[in-house]
Amino acid sequence: MISEPRLVLVRKNVLKQNDVLARALRERFREAGVLAISLVSSPGSGKTAFLENTLTLLHARYKVAALVGDLATENDAARLARSQAPVKQIITGTVCHLEAAMVQNALDSWDLRGLDFLFIENVGNLVCPSSYDLGEDLRFVLLSVTEGEDKPLKYPTIFNSADVAVITKSDLATAVEFDEDAAKRNIQAVRPGMRIFKVSAKTGEGMPKFLDFLENQRLRSRSTAAV
Ligand SMILES: Nc1nc2c(ncn2[C@@H]2O[C@H](COP(=O)(O)OP(=O)(O)OP(=O)(O)O)[C@@H](O)[C@H]2O)c(=O)[nH]1
Ligand SMILES: [Mg+2]
């Protein structure tokens, strides 16, 4: 019998341990009745700007909170905290993704009961985060109009690991000659049937439709939890 190379074995064990913690987190979210949503994308594609808008708009009617991961700085937490929502920064050091253990530590002293939405902004990276389950109910992958329409084809794993795609910075689409049909075709090629939103954090375009979707998802998760 050919045994697996040691590196493969170590990686498998790390992922297995992550899955166990992610399962426990998912159970904790379910028990608390909070809808947990993570955001993944390449660096600078607009996760924090989009999330700050989302938190600000939801804040009036819902209890919302956010975690945000970066290798260094508390910059994103400071931006998100302008929404008045509770926010915690996770500093990953050299690690290019969030892991379930990091989320668990960050939430250690938080009482999740009474919270409606918990958002988790992952480290900006289109590769590493795809393998790590964070116990979230939904994963959103963001694609900004300035990145090129081919990113779903080049990074299929992250698009495959996500539930919803969000095209960001729509206000810049014309300036960069963004081909929306091609981008949508490429998303559908790697993840057939994927729901796609188009938004701008600068102008607010697409945000009302996106908020309707979030509210519906919350209602759906509450009714399934009650069964
Ligand atoms: N024109 C325009 N600029 C945007 C929009 N959203 C974000 N930006 C700009 O894009 C840059 C990066 O935005 P961030 O929100 O920091 O992106 P991010 O994905 O959180 O970045 P990392 O956390 O570093 O991966 C900033 O200069 C934002 O002002 C948008 O909708 N329109
Ligand atoms: Mg950010």
Side-chain angles (χ1 to χ4, degrees):
M1 196 174 83
I2 302 169
S3 60
E4 287 186 284
R6 202 180 119 66
L7 190 63
V8 173
L9 206 66
V10 170
R11 194 172 148 71
K12 266 190 182 169
N13 286 340
V14 169
L15 287 177
K16 203 163 134 198
Q17 196 193 355
N18 186 81
D19 282 347
V20 172
L21 291 177
R23 207 173 305 143
L25 275 174
R26 185 164 286 115
E27 185 55 25
R28 189 174 162 199
F29 297 148
R30 197 192 61 79
E31 272 174 12
V34 57
L35 187 69
I37 295 170
S38 78
L39 279 70
V40 292
S41 79
S42 60
S45 61
K47 295 179 292 300
T48 307
F50 171 60
L51 188 50
E52 185 185 346
N53 257 14
T54 304
L55 292 172
T56 305
L57 292 167
L58 286 175
H59 193 57
R61 275 174 299 148
Y62 295 99
K63 284 220 176 281
V64 291
L67 303 177
V68 52
D70 279 296
L71 271 70
T73 83
E74 302 244 344
N75 292 356
D76 282 6
R79 287 168 62 194
L80 294 176
R82 293 187 298 213
S83 69
Q84 307 300 319
V87 176
K88 203 171 206 175
Q89 180 82 46
I90 301 173
I91 306 276
T92 64
T94 54
V95 183
C96 55
H97 56 265
L98 286 178
E99 295 180 7
M102 300 174 189
V103 173
Q104 195 182 46
N105 287 342
L107 293 176
D108 215 20
S109 57
W110 279 21
D111 184 0
L112 299 179
R113 281 167 305 175
L115 206 58
D116 296 306
F117 294 96
L118 172 70
F119 294 92
I120 307 170
E121 178 184 333
N122 214 316
V123 176
N125 192 303
L126 276 181
V127 183
C128 314
S130 55
S131 317
Y132 290 84
D133 184 2
L134 302 178
E136 69 271 64
D137 298 291
L138 290 171
R139 182 175 290 188
F140 294 170
V141 60
L142 277 58
L143 168 71
S144 63
V145 298
T146 53
E147 282 169 69
E149 302 81 3
D150 61 350
K151 293 303 166 290
L153 301 179
K154 287 186 175 175
Y155 301 92
T157 317
I158 197 107
F159 280 83
N160 246 310
S161 79
D163 305 288
V164 173
V166 184
I167 296 172
T168 58
K169 309 192 189 182
S170 64
D171 55 296
L172 301 177
T174 311
V176 297
E177 298 180 1
F178 178 67
D179 185 341
E180 187 176 329
D181 289 342
K184 287 182 170 169
R185 228 176 13 251
N186 293 340
I187 292 169
Q188 298 297 333
V190 294
R191 185 79 153 91
M194 194 179 215
R195 183 83 190 253
I196 304 172
F197 290 91
K198 190 178 76 168
V199 300
S200 165
K202 291 280 175 217
T203 65
E205 187 200 352
M207 291 304 292
K209 207 168 157 187
F210 176 70
L211 288 196
D212 281 351
F213 171 77
L214 283 183
E215 291 181 311
N216 281 330
Q217 288 299 312
R218 184 176 162 273
L219 288 176
R220 266 180 64 175
S221 75
R222 286 265 157 126
S223 58
T224 359
V227 176

